[in-house]
Amino acid sequence: MSIQYKIAETALNGSVKKELFESLEQPQNRNDVPDYIHNHFDVEKLEFGEHCMFKISPREENVKNAIMFVAGGAGFLPPGEMHFKTAASLIKTTGAAVFIPFYPLAPKATVRIALHYLQRAWSEILRDFLAQNVTFMGDGIGANLVLGLCNRVNRKPGHIVAISPMPGIGQDSWKETFVEEEKNDRILSMELADKIESVWYRNIPQGSADREVLCMQYKGFPPTLLIYGSKDMFSKSTDALVQKIGENGATVQILKKDMFHSWALRQNFPETKNAMKQIADFIGSTSSGS
């Protein structure tokens, strides 16, 4: 691992889990993208209903590829600084336009309400882009959502990139594993997982494909890249997800490092720069950016 990563990992302690959990009670109220995004890219705000989606594009004509980037945040938090920096990096490495939907959040919304909104957002993207030229990408709960969205829609994207998904939340068969794996996790906690289960997944059966990515069949899914870390409490359940996707006929690739949750969004790590390049290679885009 890089020195930058080792320094970051050392700085994480027990208070990080507590701070993350407490942030769910007072999420940031964001309704725009940062100034540096406006300064470097073309930004369009697409509004429908009470929610919106931002289209962030390189300043060039004839952009043919797009990425629908669904931010995580445990289903409670809007896109954050990590997501916008990742979007900027994706545009530079792929040359694609990046759509960031601000989907409905807990505690008011549930996963099914969010998926319904994302289906509408997908319809908006299809006005300007061919489905095969679009990649679904998400991190954490956002990774779960893009898998769930692909499961729901008839017009599938060309690729899926799932970063640190969270399979098995609230599934009785995985709780013992999560309790054990949490000991090595510097970011996520069982307290957080229980919160997601009780609020984000409320009134949704454990066997529902909307709730649980391990319950999907994955038939007809496009090539899928999973990026995750072995120091994530969902590492072993993600190993099971990789197997499930492959068993059902979808092409699956993995990029797994001995790192913590959502490491691939930390733009100050050399490992992240390599991950961005692998994403660009995976979706088959070309770029003159760095």
Side-chain angles (χ1 to χ4, degrees), residues 267-285:
Q267 297 301 314
N268 55 326
F269 297 159
E271 292 89 350
T272 298
K273 293 180 180 179
N274 291 333
M276 292 298 108
K277 183 180 183 302
Q278 183 160 337
I279 290 170
D281 292 342
F282 174 72
I283 66 179
S285 297

Side-chain angles (χ1 to χ4, degrees), residues 10-159:
T10 301
L12 295 174
N13 54 47
S15 66
V16 173
K17 294 186 179 186
K18 181 180 179 181
E19 290 168 3
L20 176 58
F21 179 79
E22 290 176 348
S23 72
L24 305 187
E25 302 298 328
Q26 296 180 326
Q28 181 182 6
N29 184 19
R30 181 186 288 276
N31 57 12
D32 200 355
V33 300
D35 288 342
Y36 65 83
I37 296 292
H38 285 280
N39 293 338
H40 290 91
F41 307 104
D42 289 336
V43 179
E44 181 181 359
K45 186 177 184 180
L46 309 172
E47 296 186 84
F48 33 96
E50 298 179 1
H51 301 276
C52 68
M53 176 168 63
F54 285 92
K55 178 184 178 183
I56 308 169
S57 306
R59 288 178 173 162
E60 58 186 59
E61 296 181 359
N62 299 321
V63 177
K64 295 182 179 180
N65 296 326
I67 298 170
M68 185 182 189
F69 183 22
V70 181
F76 286 77
L77 305 176
E81 193 68 13
M82 269 198 321
H83 300 106
F84 295 117
K85 288 183 176 179
T86 297
S89 179
L90 287 168
I91 294 170
K92 292 176 181 178
T93 54
T94 68
V98 175
F99 289 84
I100 301 183
F102 281 48
Y103 56 89
L105 298 170
K108 184 178 180 180
T110 66
V111 62
R112 279 185 172 156
I113 294 173
L115 284 169
H116 179 74
Y117 164 79
L118 290 173
Q119 285 181 266
R120 186 172 177 184
W122 177 224
S123 296
E124 292 293 324
I125 294 172
L126 289 173
R127 292 176 183 270
D128 298 321
F129 292 89
L130 297 174
Q132 63 264 31
N133 291 341
V134 181
T135 296
F136 283 0
M137 176 173 164
D139 70 289
I141 284 296
N144 289 28
L145 283 170
V146 296
L147 293 170
L149 176 63
C150 189
N151 189 58
R152 278 183 166 222
V153 299
N154 292 323
R155 296 177 68 182
K156 308 294 188 189
H159 300 84

